Amino acid sequence: MPELPAGPMAPPTPPVRLTELLAREELGLRGIAGPPEAELLWVHTSEMADPYPYLLGGELLLSAGVLLTDPDTYVSRLVEAGAAALGFGVRPVHETVPAELVAACDRYGLPLIEVPPKTPFTAIARAVWRLMAEARLRELRRVTRAQQALAMAAARTDPVPAVLHQLAAQLEGRAVLLTADGEELHAAGRTPAPDVRAALTRLSRVVAPVLRPAPASATDTLGTTHLAAYALGGGQGLVLTLATERREPGDHTVAGIAVVLLSLLAAPHQGADAAGRSAALVRLLLGADPAGVAPLLGGAEQWTLVHARRSGGAAPDPLTAGALGAALGSALVDAGRGRDAVRVLVPGGDRITPQPGWTLGASAPAAITALDVADAQAARALGRAEATRTPLSYHRADTGRGLAALIPREAAEAHARALLAPLTEPLAETLRCWLSLHGSWDRTAVALSVHRNTVRQRIGRCAVLLGVDLDDMDVRTELWVALRLG
């Protein structure tokens, strides 16, 4: 059955090949049993007799065999847990690698590495992390080069065939653009075998828009060939299919870039709304007044800015960010980069609802000329949502009701400015966040994406500059009102 990806993490950190680690001469590692190839996702050290419950799979498990009594059962449990390889340190527990352990690793197909006495386990872990960082950098550079090549192809006079040709070249495979009925519109790359072409057609139906609900992408394998299908946007029902002999961690990212480009290029025309948005963005880039282009964005008088992050910290790709925008009723989406928040500009302010798999922070409704203020509000609301582990948090606007409404506004604002004058903006923002979260160091650190010690230092600095005792509730109350007015 085809695999339906739950959510792309693009490009993820590539695994480290065991042969690369063995090639590090300073470590003195030696493969003595099992297959010579393995892919390492991380390093784990354990002296438990059965570490199975604590393994995630893909580990290079390091052990000195302190509690090793039954090598056959030990190795079978490691293989069952999905461990990638076993590194066995000789001395002081064992003078040599036990022969029964060597035989068990050969029997179960688990790579066994001899670790010499002079090599500490921490040195092996450090080497794996370094190799992983180097592989990550290479993959990021490859994805960047592919993105530039695809963008240049999209600027040619025959952009759709050019993008497909460049995609096939970057992934060293076959790229085909199909209609919703499975008819081949354009293709690039080496023609695959008939069974691969048939498998691609079947896979394309998994993401075809005739299915409701249909996933945005699907993958499968046929022998050694990796297959993938992506639904294009634009309402045309087009599907991009790929067949490659290898699958690198960044390939899904490269394909996602091509999907976005092809979705734009393959659409026969822009609707009036899309044309208006494009015109508005061009005019803004050319220096037009935001109020003047607001009617082209849909005519809304008020806009709500939403900041969003994937639950669990996964980095969203443009397709995932676009799907969030569609769910919120807007095509004005900034996908961000890495841990940056996705930003969605939503007309009005009454359509923001929690979205599965996302944490959201929403600003108060604002005019098009005040989006900078809304951006800061949404950022603070997202930080509070993450700190309190709630799916959606709104900016807490001053409603002008309650006791605050009894204070003369002009005099109160003047007092607030004078009271907070010693604080820089970062200090004031930290104090505002800390007070809103009831003085919690940990939640404030999460909300501001800083270390809890940084929060402590900033709050301590605020107390010194303001000359107040922040443990005093009267002081906290006065500062909170001032910050709300400021």
Side-chain angles (χ1 to χ4, degrees):
M1 290 293 294
E3 171 194 350
L4 306 181
M9 298 176 59
T13 301
V16 172
R17 291 184 172 86
L18 180 59
T19 52
E20 292 181 278
L21 183 64
L22 294 177
R24 303 295 289 258
E25 296 182 359
E26 73 275 13
L27 298 176
L29 305 179
R30 187 168 64 96
I32 58 175
E37 287 287 347
E39 292 186 337
L40 314 177
L41 298 178
W42 35 63
V43 179
H44 181 62
T45 300
S46 174
E47 295 301 338
M48 299 183 67
D50 180 15
Y52 174 94
Y54 303 96
L55 300 182
L56 297 175
E59 298 91 345
L60 167 60
L61 180 66
L62 301 175
S63 174
V66 175
L67 299 179
L68 181 66
T69 57
D70 185 352
D72 189 87
T73 301
Y74 181 81
V75 173
S76 68
R77 292 285 283 171
L78 294 186
V79 172
E80 186 179 354
L86 171 63
F88 193 90
V90 296
R91 298 181 195 164
V93 181
H94 297 270
E95 289 297 316
T96 61
V97 180
E100 297 86 353
L101 184 64
V102 175
C105 286
D106 274 330
R107 186 161 51 253
Y108 288 101
L110 180 69
L112 175 61
I113 310 304
E114 181 187 71
V115 181
K118 65 174 183 175
T119 302
F121 287 174
T122 53
I124 299 173
R126 187 165 57 244
V128 171
W129 306 146
R130 186 177 296 116
L131 288 169
M132 198 169 287
E134 293 170 357
R136 171 72 165 170
L137 181 58
R138 288 194 301 270
E139 195 65 10
L140 287 173
R141 287 174 174 169
R142 184 178 78 89
V143 170
T144 300
R145 288 193 299 269
Q147 180 178 8
Q148 293 170 345
L150 289 169
M152 292 178 63
R156 293 182 51 177
T157 55
D158 54 342
V160 172
V163 169
L164 285 174
H165 176 79
Q166 191 57 242
L167 179 62
Q170 293 292 332
L171 301 184
E172 298 178 7
R174 175 78 167 177
V176 182
L177 188 62
L178 301 173
T179 67
D181 297 327
E183 179 185 354
E184 186 174 297
L185 291 179
H186 300 282
R190 187 170 54 193
T191 303
D195 59 338
V196 173
R197 297 181 64 180
L200 282 175
T201 302
R202 290 194 298 271
L203 190 64
S204 70
R205 299 193 187 105
V206 176
V207 300
V210 293
L211 298 175
R212 289 293 185 264
S217 64
T219 62
D220 202 357
T221 56
L222 184 65
T224 60
T225 303
H226 299 279
L227 312 175
Y230 300 84
L232 269 61
Q236 305 304 308
L238 302 179
V239 176
L240 171 67
T241 60
L242 299 170
T244 60
E245 292 303 316
R246 61 176 178 81
R247 181 178 290 169
E248 298 295 338
D251 287 356
H252 189 65
T253 305
V254 175
I257 295 167
V259 167
V260 173
L261 292 173
L262 291 170
S263 297
L264 296 172
L265 295 170
H269 63 274
Q270 283 187 315
D273 291 344
R277 287 193 297 269
S278 297
L281 294 176
V282 169
R283 294 184 192 182
L284 284 172
L285 289 171
L286 294 177
D289 178 58
V293 302
L296 297 174
L297 292 174
E301 295 182 359
Q302 297 284 301
W303 297 81
T304 299
L305 194 61
V306 176
H307 281 210
R309 283 199 182 94
R310 294 284 301 279
S311 302
D317 63 9
L319 290 175
T320 309
L324 172 65
L328 294 176
S330 175
L332 301 175
V333 180
D334 175 14
R337 310 179 81 181
R339 272 289 292 167
D340 291 348
V342 172
R343 297 187 294 183
V344 184
L345 189 58
V346 181
D350 57 351
R351 289 190 288 175
I352 311 305
T353 57
Q355 299 297 319
W358 293 89
T359 301
L360 308 179
S363 73
I368 195 71
T369 54
L371 292 183
D372 56 338
V373 176
D375 190 47
Q377 292 176 352
R380 287 198 292 268
L382 175 60
R384 186 165 56 252
E386 291 181 315
T388 57
R389 298 182 180 179
T390 55
L392 170 62
S393 177
Y394 283 91
H395 170 68
R396 297 173 180 173
D398 186 357
T399 61
R401 298 192 298 269
L403 292 175
L406 303 177
I407 306 173
R409 186 78 182 188
E410 184 175 344
E413 289 177 349
H415 177 72
R417 286 193 296 271
L419 179 62
L420 301 174
L423 303 184
T424 63
E425 179 56 32
L427 289 178
E429 179 59 27
T430 302
L431 182 59
R432 180 188 294 109
C433 184
W434 182 71
L435 289 173
S436 73
L437 294 171
H438 311 291
S440 169
W441 307 109
D442 291 329
R443 288 187 173 186
T444 305
V446 172
L448 297 177
S449 299
V450 297
H451 195 277
R452 69 194 307 272
N453 289 343
T454 302
V455 176
R456 287 184 177 275
Q457 292 167 1
R458 290 182 183 177
I459 296 301
R461 184 63 177 161
C462 289
V464 171
L465 291 174
L466 296 174
V468 296
D469 178 10
L470 291 176
D471 289 329
D472 188 318
M473 182 54 68
D474 289 337
V475 172
R476 289 194 183 192
T477 302
E478 183 178 16
L479 287 174
W480 177 244
V481 174
L483 287 164
R484 295 291 297 273
L485 293 170

